[in-house]
Amino acid sequence: MKAYSIFRSGHFFVLLCLFIVEGKKSPTGKHTCRKGLLFQVTENLYIKATSLKSSVPKDLIKNTRLLKKTTKMLFMTNCSVRDQLLSFYVQNVFTHLGVGGEKLYFISAFQALQENLNACLPCAPSTRLTSAVKKIKRTFHKLGKKGIYKAIHELDILLPWIQAYVQNVI
């Protein structure tokens, strides 16, 4: 009966997706690079982003952007900017979303993507925040709760960057 309620409530789907999305770990406990998984997760994020965006209020702030063209260039060439920007989304944006089924799947897929990117192209951890990410965080915090909505709606900008990076670099 319990298994039926788990299956019926959709938790089974979420758990199954989490199992499929999570990268395999090597015997040393570190994630191994799985290029096919990167492509698959990126495609899934595109699909799920539409649902995620519809679950938050519209972004009504048209004169401010978090993700600018100059940041894209840095995202493509600087592993610290890339890692810090993805971490910003996980730690600062997605933590405010709550834990619904679709949201949980999106957050888990995003984290799996970040782990796989790090496994494919390791980046030395930076103790200092890059100036590009500092500006994004400053703007995000200045907008308050509306910053969350702006960041979610700017996934339309970030996801193509990720996809282009995965296709061109990895």
Side-chain angles (χ1 to χ4, degrees), residues 132-151:
V133 176
K134 273 185 194 175
K135 289 177 188 175
I136 291 168
K137 281 185 154 191
R138 194 173 328 134
T139 304
F140 174 80
H141 289 299
K142 192 166 74 172
L143 294 173
K145 194 164 186 116
K146 292 177 182 177
I148 298 165
Y149 310 143
K150 171 140 303 284

Side-chain angles (χ1 to χ4, degrees), residues 104-169:
L104 181 62
Y105 174 82
F106 190 88
I107 294 165
S108 298
F110 203 89
Q111 288 171 322
L113 174 81
Q114 185 179 15
E115 289 171 4
N116 266 289
L117 280 174
N118 288 337
C120 291
L121 291 165
C123 183
S126 175
T127 56
R128 297 179 68 191
L129 206 55
T130 60
S131 62
V133 176
K134 273 185 194 175
K135 289 177 188 175
I136 291 168
K137 281 185 154 191
R138 194 173 328 134
T139 304
F140 174 80
H141 289 299
K142 192 166 74 172
L143 294 173
K145 194 164 186 116
K146 292 177 182 177
I148 298 165
Y149 310 143
K150 171 140 303 284
I152 296 294
H153 285 280
E154 286 192 9
L155 284 169
D156 286 345
I157 297 169
L158 181 60
L159 291 174
W161 293 2
I162 295 169
Q163 190 169 41
Y165 179 76
V166 168
Q167 289 175 345
N168 295 329
V169 178

Side-chain angles (χ1 to χ4, degrees), residues 4 13 20-21 32 40 55 67 79 99 101 122 131 159 162 168 170:
Y4 175 74
F13 176 72
I20 291 169
V21 168
T32 57
Q40 184 180 13
S55 72
L67 304 175
C79 73
V99 193
S131 62
L159 291 174
I162 295 169
N168 295 329
I170 297 179

Side-chain angles (χ1 to χ4, degrees), residues 32-126:
T32 57
C33 179
R34 296 179 59 200
K35 294 177 186 176
L37 181 65
L38 283 172
F39 292 112
Q40 184 180 13
V41 170
T42 306
E43 288 299 319
N44 286 338
L45 285 172
Y46 264 110
I47 295 164
K48 298 296 181 186
T50 303
S51 172
L52 180 64
K53 288 188 323 185
S54 68
S55 72
V56 298
K58 281 190 162 202
D59 172 25
L60 300 175
I61 304 168
K62 301 299 179 195
N63 59 350
T64 303
R65 281 186 53 183
L66 297 173
L67 304 175
K68 299 177 178 170
K69 289 180 184 179
T70 54
T71 310
K72 178 184 180 182
M73 191 169 44
L74 291 170
F75 181 88
M76 296 299 194
T77 58
N78 185 320
C79 73
S80 292
V81 170
R82 189 171 41 261
D83 187 56
Q84 289 174 12
L85 184 58
L86 296 177
S87 293
F88 161 75
Y89 264 84
V90 170
Q91 296 166 2
N92 296 98
V93 178
F94 299 148
T95 56
H96 296 287
L97 290 180
V99 193
E102 288 286 320
K103 293 174 184 173
L104 181 62
Y105 174 82
F106 190 88
I107 294 165
S108 298
F110 203 89
Q111 288 171 322
L113 174 81
Q114 185 179 15
E115 289 171 4
N116 266 289
L117 280 174
N118 288 337
C120 291
L121 291 165
C123 183
S126 175

